[in-house]
Amino acid sequence: MKLFSRLACVGLFGMAAASVQAETQVVMLGTGTPVPDADHSGPATAVVYNGQAYVFDIGPGAVRSAIIAAQKKGVEALYPTKIKHLFLTHLHSDHILDYPELASTYWWRRSDKISVWGPTGLNEMTQGYYAMVKRDTDLRVNSRSPIKDPTGYQYLTHEYAQGGWTVKDGDVTIEAFDIEHGKITPAFGYRITTPDKTIVISGDTSYSEKLVEMAKGADILVHEVICDEGLAGLSEGWQAYHSAAHTRSSVLGRIANETKPGLLVLTHVLHYGAPREKTLEEVKAVFNGNVVLAEDLDIY
């Protein structure tokens, strides 16, 4: 009887441990913009579930953040050689400059290539990455290094001309949808569904009816934003551009009221001459729900 009780306890403990392991985490690998900022890496968000990381965008500094998350914050799935899934919203430089770094970092110790999904132009960009690292890979493959797969640095690419496609990996479903990033087409947002959470990642976008549809009732909405006060200080030309390509803080407040997320996470914060925190104030003036101003390596 005692033995049964002990085994039962061990079984329950194991089930509890598995449950904890399967809790979805959202890790902000980069919350910055094209504007150089010592405190914020380029855009990158990871959704981690059951030991697997699904990374959305890979801006400059994102790989370094992933290493820190793995080694100092206990998110082991974000160690570069363990990342197997990458999704790109669009191909602006601030969203893709760590694309070569992710695949080439310690690639000879990879057990699987990284699969990447993204918009038209992905294949061309990938070939450029291969050309860039050709000399390095030739040197490594032709040395005495016991490399099992000489193509381990390569991506498995999936290129799409429009949204509406879905990727399913076990209990995780990723849905891509079209967003409104000015004249940049295609550009995607993503809805990620795990057994315990629904997360929507906006990508760079102005107000998008499709995003509102996809984000309704999400547990976490990770959304880009431009500060109203900062925008007002720009030239007319830049105001027109940003208004068509990005979401003003007051507009984001309205989006949040329409979608009612459990948590609104502000990222890719373009604030220009205004304090970064002003953006949060402006959103809160319209939306009285749960909203945070994301910093690199925040975990939700």
Side-chain angles (χ1 to χ4, degrees), residues 107-113 140-141 144-153:
W107 65 265
W108 51 95
R109 293 298 183 95
R110 285 192 172 280
S111 58
D112 299 284
K113 293 184 177 71
R140 294 187 187 280
V141 169
R144 293 185 177 181
S145 302
I147 295 174
K148 294 181 179 179
D149 181 6
T151 66
Y153 66 95

Side-chain angles (χ1 to χ4, degrees), residues 189-244:
Y190 291 98
R191 178 183 172 99
I192 306 98
T193 305
T194 72
D196 66 304
K197 280 188 177 65
T198 299
I199 301 112
V200 171
I201 296 172
S202 73
D204 283 7
T205 186
S206 58
Y207 181 86
S208 164
E209 291 184 2
K210 186 63 177 180
L211 182 140
V212 169
E213 174 192 334
M214 297 296 285
K216 283 184 177 177
D219 295 292
I220 300 175
L221 172 57
V222 180
H223 205 295
E224 70 113 76
V225 63
I226 184 167
C227 175
D228 280 324
E229 182 178 307
L231 180 63
L234 300 180
S235 68
E236 289 186 7
W238 280 111
Q239 286 190 45
Y241 166 77
H242 283 306
S243 295

Side-chain angles (χ1 to χ4, degrees), residues 198-200 215-223 252-265 287-291:
T198 299
I199 301 112
V200 171
K216 283 184 177 177
D219 295 292
I220 300 175
L221 172 57
V222 180
H223 205 295
L252 180 53
R254 179 160 61 91
I255 291 170
N257 284 328
E258 291 183 69
T259 57
K260 294 179 170 45
L263 175 65
L264 173 62
V265 178
F287 175 59
N288 63 3
N290 194 11
V291 53

